[in-house]
């Protein structure tokens, strides 16, 4: 195990999984196959020695931006969105536990009967003990996103990198769905991503990553095995970092 751990590219990773990625479509809010697949891919990397923390989104259930349409105040909508992330966090915890993985869910909004409150030092201890830590309820504050929560928690637990799983294999110069000729970045600086308003993460999350010098890997979920590959440092998505590089393919 120690030899393997010595060869790991990243010791501690913060993985951001959107709610949408878990979404079940006709199967309901959570797709059973996706849930199981994500859990087994995380398990594989964790067993090979990567310390894995996960921030889950809630977009498959509720997003704050729909509050207006429902005549719900913005902040209440955001509270609903943060509670939605807890449903996903608990589902992922169970899926991991079904595979024998030790986990903890830590919530940014206190709900003692369901999850531990988020305490930075305690989160680090869990990771050191090899537990997969799932952070729910975003940052605990309205007006933020789970992307920002991912960078914030990533910085707090001193992760080597934040990995954002998406439907496409990295960051493109324009939307590849509408522009099949769009080129993909392999490397990108934070400044470039911010100035060009590229679809990496929202600007709050990006600015925080830049300030904390915390790189972000954007990679695709579409191929089975990609989460494990990314966590083991073997994925070729887009790496966004402080380096002044900009490489397109
Ligand atoms: N949210 C929030 N503060 C946070 C994180 C999330 O208010 O720190 C709310 C916000 O309304 C958001 C919803 O929770 O729309 C779900 O999170 P997000 O949209 O980031 O989930 P994802 O798109 O990753 O599934």
């Amino acid at each position: 195990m120690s030899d393997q751990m010595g060869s790991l590219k990243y010791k501690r990773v913060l993985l951001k999984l959107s709610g949408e990625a878990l979404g079940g479509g006709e199967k309901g809010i959570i797709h059973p196959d996706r849930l199981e697949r994500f859990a087994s891919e995380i398990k594989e990397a964790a067993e090979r020695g990567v310390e894995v923390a996960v921030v889950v989104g809630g977009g498959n259930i509720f997003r704050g931006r729909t509050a207006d349409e429902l005549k719900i105040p913005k902040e209440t909508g955001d509270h609903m969105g943060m509670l939605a992330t807890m449903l996903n966090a608990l589902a992922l915890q169970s899926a991991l536990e079904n595979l024998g993985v030790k986990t903890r869910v830590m919530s940014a909004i206190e709900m003692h009967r369901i999850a531990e409150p988020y305490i930075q030092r305690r989160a680090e201890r869990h990771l050191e003990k090899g537990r997969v830590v799932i952070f729910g309820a975003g940052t605990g504050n309205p007006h933020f996103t789970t992307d920002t929560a991912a960078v914030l928690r990533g910085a707090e637990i001193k992760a080597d990198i934040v990995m954002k799983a998406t439907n496409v294999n990295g960051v493109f110069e324009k939307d590849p769905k509408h522009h099949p000729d769009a080129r993909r970045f392999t490397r990108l600086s934070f400044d470039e991503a911010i100035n060009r308003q590229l679809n990496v993460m929202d600007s709050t999350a990006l600015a925080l990553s830049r300030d904390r010098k915390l790189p972000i890997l954007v990679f695709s979920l579409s191929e089975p095995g990609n989460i494990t590959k990314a966590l083991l440092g073997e994925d070729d998505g887009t790496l966004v970092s402080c380096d002044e590089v900009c490489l397109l393919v």
Side-chain angles (χ1 to χ4, degrees):
M1 179 75 127
S2 57
D3 273 348
Q4 210 172 16
M5 285 172 73
S7 64
L8 289 173
K9 186 162 178 187
Y10 304 113
K11 185 176 186 309
R12 184 172 288 177
V13 178
L14 187 302
L15 173 69
K16 161 71 203 293
L17 283 177
S18 71
E20 226 164 70
L22 278 168
E26 283 171 13
K27 287 266 188 191
I29 54 171
I30 297 174
H31 198 294
D33 299 345
R34 290 192 196 170
L35 183 64
E36 210 177 302
R37 188 189 123 200
F38 296 167
S40 71
E41 293 196 25
I42 291 169
K43 172 188 161 113
E44 198 176 327
E47 280 181 346
R48 287 165 73 173
V50 185
E51 293 177 4
V52 187
V54 188
V55 164
V56 283
N60 53 328
I61 302 165
F62 195 84
R63 280 206 175 96
R65 74 172 86 105
T66 50
D68 212 25
E69 208 179 307
L70 298 168
K71 300 192 175 66
I72 292 173
K74 161 77 179 148
E75 289 74 14
T76 305
D78 283 343
H79 291 153
M80 293 167 72
M82 287 188 276
L83 292 177
T85 72
M86 282 302 291
L87 305 192
N88 291 330
L90 293 175
L92 184 62
Q93 176 177 45
S94 297
L96 284 161
E97 284 181 350
N98 290 342
L99 299 172
V101 181
K102 299 247 179 312
T103 67
R104 291 290 187 276
V105 171
M106 303 190 102
S107 174
I109 297 173
E110 289 185 17
M111 42 183 97
H112 293 286
R113 289 176 194 244
I114 295 177
E116 285 183 20
Y118 170 69
I119 297 169
Q120 175 247 324
R121 283 168 185 272
R122 192 179 283 182
E124 289 195 67
R125 290 298 90 78
H126 288 322
L127 289 164
E128 283 161 9
K129 288 181 178 165
R131 297 169 184 148
V132 172
V133 180
I134 305 164
F135 295 122
T139 64
N141 301 293
H143 303 286
F144 289 98
T145 63
T146 48
D147 278 357
T148 300
V151 176
L152 177 64
R153 295 290 181 252
E156 287 180 286
I157 62 165
K158 301 156 197 80
D160 299 310
I161 187 163
V162 170
M163 297 189 175
K164 178 174 164 156
T166 67
N167 292 325
V168 289
N169 186 24
V171 181
F172 289 74
E173 46 180 359
K174 35 194 181 177
D175 186 349
K177 268 195 228 141
H178 302 117
H179 304 275
D181 62 329
R183 290 180 302 165
R184 184 173 66 85
F185 293 95
T186 54
R187 299 285 311 263
L188 191 61
S189 68
F190 286 118
D191 287 337
E192 194 90 25
I194 294 169
N195 295 341
R196 290 170 70 151
Q197 299 188 338
L198 294 168
N199 188 18
V200 181
M201 282 188 174
D202 61 81
S203 55
T204 311
L206 266 182
L208 183 59
S209 299
R210 181 182 57 185
D211 293 351
R212 302 316 317 147
K213 299 188 172 46
L214 180 58
I216 300 171
L217 177 81
V218 180
F219 73 99
S220 167
L221 267 178
S222 49
E223 296 293 316
N226 271 8
I227 297 179
T228 310
K229 263 175 74 181
L231 292 171
L232 294 173
E234 296 163 4
D235 191 271
D236 64 347
T238 300
L239 183 70
V240 191
S241 71
C242 287
D243 300 341
E244 284 306 317
V245 285
C246 180
L247 298 174
L248 278 157
V249 284

